[in-house]
Amino acid sequence: MGKTKLDPASEQNILNMLMESSTISTEQMTKINNTSAEIGKTKLETAFELNFVDEDKILKILSANYSLPIVDLKKTVIDPKIKKIIDIRYIQDNLLIPFEMGNGILKIAIADASKLSLMKNLKTMTKMEPELYAASISNINSFIERFTKNETKKISDANIKVENNQKNKDELIEVGSEVIVFGNKLITEAINLGASDIHIESFRDSAQVRIRIDGILKIMDKYTKFLFENYNAVVARIKIISKLDIAERRVPQDGASTFKSDTKEIDLRVSILPTKNNERIVMRILNKDAGDKALSTLGFEEKDLEKLVRAITSPQGMVLVTGPTGSGKTTTLYSILKHINKPGLNILTAEDPVEYEMEGIGQVQIKESIGYTFEEALRSFLRQDPEVILVGEIRDKETVDIALKAALTGHLVFSTLHTNDAPSSITRLLNMGTPNYLISAALTLIMAQRLARKTCLDCRIIDKNITPKLLNSIGFLPEQSARAKIYKGNGCETCSGSGYKGRMGIYEILEIENELKAGILSNLQQNELNAIAKKNGFRTMQDMGHELMLSSDLSFAEYERVLQSK
């Protein structure tokens, strides 16, 4: 192949796409870089010369990655009306082909995804809705030659406008690059601030970015103006990196991407939701380091850690981790798997989604759209000779029955449940129709947990609004509340004025010992089961919250937010 006639940004975009799809390896890319200078050709032309890739392969990947139908421009008759609505120089400069128009739709062929950032400009320019297609580089170049065949005189007459046209071209490319820079800057800052989620939202007269730090959403005002002015381009960019259909705006879409910042690599889970005012985006940041925490670093008290380790190293039984969304259940479960993961154990997990990859563990992605549910995964696991099984979530009676039976037949089973506290998990299982004898025989331990913001070390002050009466109302003993000093964060540079810095776990661990098993078999009520647990030394999350307040790590306001609402 000869000259590609592509601009450097387009060529780099194609090379990135080829590397992301593993069509070109890192070693091959190194050879391309070294050879390119030697033979005096661009990197993409060098890739063609070395037979690492061809045009058909690029076309197929572009079509598959961005859900674009393929068009053969050789068979396309040029519509003269198109020349009236788009300047020929714009087509030459940007190497995109408007090849058909009608009913308010303009069909456009592109050879690389970098042109997607120009769709907003085209829509404004033509007052038509762009409909995208994929075409080969040669196809694009040949079409432009046909398109411009009889336009030489017109172009010559317009030479006096070349300087202005160059300025317009630069502005259009700059818009595209600004959107990419905006997205990279936003995601990088969110990572550096320790955010768990990024929300990108559009309203009738505004748009905003919010990031969730330590469980609380915070508006990022500095991104508002650019986002409002370039909202569609930002959405298109996020769809591109997440391998989603940029032309689909009617139904929700879910995708994923890997983002590399200067310091770390993270996975993004992307959810796009159509609303009355454009599409709304939420990106979940999955820091790969978060799946690599040791149990001993999660803040367990020594006796509770002993109970947990005893349960997770047993040859069989079921361990449940409960709590609302965002309470750290996944991190705890991965820490448990990390603790027990050894070559002698066959460990299988069913997750939705697989958030962190772990070496030596068989991790399976649930796909309910094709009928591969937690129940089906669990059935198939039992034929894979496992010692340990993790079921991401118990959602129905069928799944819990299979899990409990597996726990009785020589398997160690871990799972999660959405309940307010540990003892109520037993009632939840009973309410799902699970026989009490199964629960009593198989269940070994339940851990409930929450994540609370930690009072900032640098600006802690005594909260003078907290009276003994208030403390008595949340369960403090009178002698405790009389002498207790409760702290709060005053707000400083370290905590960005919030009064909080970092998060800590608040948990309760309920060991299902013999007396509790007998209570389950006797169909005791919830309050009776609670009484048995407390008699045997069960410490609630409220008890732990009281201790954290007395140690000045937890404010009264945070205690109420996290624990009083449960």
Side-chain angles (χ1 to χ4, degrees):
M1 161 137 190
K3 294 285 184 183
T4 59
K5 295 184 183 177
L6 289 175
D7 58 83
S10 296
E11 286 212 356
Q12 190 58 54
N13 190 281
I14 289 172
L15 289 168
N16 289 344
M17 181 178 72
L18 293 172
M19 289 191 70
E20 286 173 7
S21 63
S22 301
T23 304
I24 289 179
S25 66
T26 306
E27 293 75 18
Q28 288 175 323
M29 195 65 231
T30 302
K31 187 169 184 181
I32 289 169
N33 290 333
N34 295 336
T35 309
S36 173
E38 293 175 11
I39 65 175
K41 292 189 176 183
T42 69
K43 291 178 184 178
L44 185 58
E45 289 166 352
T46 305
F48 288 136
E49 290 282 337
L50 295 171
N51 292 320
F52 290 159
V53 71
D54 56 41
E55 282 199 67
D56 286 342
K57 186 70 174 175
I58 291 171
L59 180 60
K60 287 175 184 174
I61 294 171
L62 177 67
S63 172
N65 280 4
Y66 302 104
S67 303
L68 301 179
I70 295 174
V71 62
D72 184 358
L73 295 174
K74 292 175 184 175
K75 301 174 182 177
T76 304
V77 178
I78 297 172
D79 187 342
K81 294 177 187 175
I82 292 175
K83 297 180 182 181
K84 296 178 181 178
I85 64 168
I86 300 182
D87 192 301
I88 185 65
R89 288 161 299 178
Y90 181 82
I91 293 170
Q92 289 174 309
D93 289 339
N94 294 294
L95 287 172
L96 49 78
I97 304 298
F99 63 90
E100 189 179 314
M101 56 187 286
N103 299 322
I105 293 173
L106 180 64
K107 294 184 178 181
I108 297 168
I110 59 175
D112 77 286
S114 71
K115 308 306 176 192
L116 296 168
S117 62
L118 300 177
M119 292 307 109
K120 180 182 178 183
N121 299 96
L122 275 168
K123 187 175 180 179
T124 304
M125 188 188 307
T126 64
K127 311 299 182 190
M128 304 181 80
E129 191 69 38
E131 187 176 282
L132 288 173
Y133 290 77
S136 68
I137 300 168
S138 297
N139 245 204
I140 296 276
N141 290 331
S142 298
F143 192 94
I144 289 177
E145 287 175 11
R146 283 199 291 142
F147 201 72
T148 58
K149 194 170 185 181
N150 297 317
E151 296 294 309
T152 308
K153 185 176 182 301
K154 292 180 183 178
I155 294 172
S156 177
D157 292 341
N159 274 343
I160 56 171
K161 298 179 182 177
V162 166
E163 187 177 341
N164 289 336
N165 177 68
Q166 184 64 36
K167 183 181 176 184
N168 291 339
K169 173 190 171 185
D170 290 342
E171 285 175 355
L172 289 169
I173 291 174
E174 189 179 358
V175 167
S177 64
E178 279 184 354
V179 169
I180 294 171
V181 169
F182 171 86
N184 291 347
K185 183 180 178 184
L186 169 60
I187 296 169
T188 299
E189 183 172 6
I191 294 168
N192 292 340
L193 290 172
S196 60
D197 302 87
I198 303 170
H199 292 233
I200 298 174
E201 304 160 300
S202 177
F203 308 103
R204 189 175 67 178
D205 301 315
S206 65
Q208 70 179 16
V209 172
R210 293 188 291 169
I211 63 174
R212 190 179 295 279
I213 301 175
D214 293 339
I216 304 296
L217 282 169
K218 175 185 177 184
I219 295 177
M220 305 294 285
D221 289 319
K222 64 182 176 181
Y223 295 111
T224 298
K225 185 176 184 294
F226 183 91
L227 179 64
F228 182 59
E229 293 171 353
N230 300 273
Y231 196 86
N232 288 334
V234 171
V235 172
R237 172 64 183 164
I238 292 168
K239 285 182 177 180
I240 289 166
I241 67 172
S242 307
K243 307 292 189 295
L244 297 175
D245 184 352
I246 63 163
E248 180 56 75
R249 300 183 182 91
R250 301 162 299 171
V251 297
Q253 296 188 72
D254 294 315
S257 177
T258 299
F259 183 85
K260 294 179 182 178
S261 70
D262 295 337
T263 56
K264 62 179 72 173
E265 179 178 294
I266 57 102
D267 288 334
L268 295 173
R269 292 285 182 270
V270 180
S271 171
I272 298 184
L273 179 71
T275 69
K276 184 180 178 183
N277 298 295
N278 221 312
E279 292 171 288
R280 185 179 192 276
I281 299 172
V282 174
M283 291 186 280
R284 167 63 60 89
I285 298 172
L286 302 175
N287 187 341
K288 294 182 179 182
D289 296 339
D292 196 33
K293 291 185 177 179
L295 271 181
S296 57
T297 66
L298 296 185
F300 292 107
E301 200 175 80
E302 189 177 345
K303 287 183 181 178
D304 287 331
L305 184 58
E306 286 176 7
K307 291 178 185 177
L308 182 59
V309 169
R310 187 160 57 244
I312 65 174
T313 52
S314 298
Q316 66 181 55
M318 176 181 262
V319 173
L320 287 177
V321 180
T322 80
T325 302
S327 60
K329 298 189 299 294
T330 302
T331 299
T332 299
L333 283 170
Y334 275 101
S335 297
I336 287 172
L337 292 180
K338 178 181 169 66
H339 185 85
I340 65 170
N341 187 15
K342 293 177 178 62
L345 286 180
N346 181 19
I347 303 174
L348 298 175
T349 76
E351 304 172 61
D352 185 19
V354 174
E355 294 193 12
Y356 311 108
E357 293 182 25
M358 299 191 75
E359 194 71 26
I361 292 176
Q363 295 172 275
V364 173
Q365 172 74 53
I366 294 303
K367 295 179 182 174
E368 295 203 346
S369 59
I370 60 170
Y372 192 59
T373 61
F374 283 114
E375 179 191 352
E376 289 302 314
L378 195 46
R379 290 185 193 278
S380 61
F381 283 3
L382 294 175
R383 297 188 289 271
Q384 286 279 316
D385 186 33
E387 278 87 15
V388 181
I389 296 171
L390 184 147
V391 186
E393 186 180 341
I394 286 178
R395 295 177 181 171
D396 51 47
K397 180 180 184 298
E398 290 73 19
T399 306
V400 71
D401 282 355
I402 300 168
L404 287 168
K405 286 172 183 173
L408 285 173
T409 55
H411 303 89
L412 184 59
V413 180
F414 304 127
S415 192
T416 69
L417 204 60
H418 290 285
T419 57
N420 284 334
D421 53 39
S424 64
S425 300
I426 298 168
T427 308
R428 172 66 59 84
L429 294 175
L430 289 168
N431 290 341
M432 290 170 76
T434 309
N436 59 3
Y437 64 86
L438 265 185
I439 299 170
S440 173
L443 203 56
T444 54
L445 182 138
I446 307 169
M447 185 175 79
Q449 65 180 68
R450 296 288 188 278
L451 284 175
R453 292 177 295 170
K454 198 171 185 178
T455 307
C456 178
L457 276 169
D458 293 346
C459 62
R460 288 178 181 177
I461 59 170
I462 293 175
D463 190 345
K464 294 180 180 178
N465 294 321
I466 307 305
T467 64
K469 186 177 179 182
L470 265 179
L471 295 178
N472 289 339
S473 71
I474 61 169
F476 273 82
L477 296 173
E479 57 270 25
Q480 281 182 316
S481 56
R483 62 175 186 272
K485 292 181 180 179
I486 309 301
Y487 286 74
K488 68 176 182 178
N490 198 36
C492 64
E493 285 187 13
T494 304
C495 60
S496 302
S498 69
Y500 300 98
K501 187 68 177 175
R503 288 197 288 179
M504 56 192 169
I506 299 179
Y507 59 87
E508 59 188 29
I509 290 181
L510 178 62
E511 211 172 15
I512 312 299
E513 37 68 48
N514 290 335
E515 195 174 347
L516 206 53
K517 287 178 183 287
I520 295 169
L521 281 173
S522 302
N523 293 319
L524 295 183
Q525 296 299 307
Q526 177 77 60
N527 59 345
E528 295 173 301
L529 294 175
N530 289 356
I532 293 172
K534 286 181 179 179
K535 188 183 75 173
N536 291 313
F538 173 61
R539 185 182 68 151
T540 67
M541 286 185 284
Q542 282 76 11
D543 294 334
M544 185 174 181
H546 294 167
E547 293 167 13
L548 290 170
M549 287 173 70
L550 293 172
S551 70
S552 76
D553 285 331
L554 186 68
S555 69
F556 182 86
E558 188 67 359
Y559 176 92
E560 283 205 310
R561 185 184 74 84
V562 173
L563 294 174
Q564 289 298 92
S565 59
K566 82 171 195 63

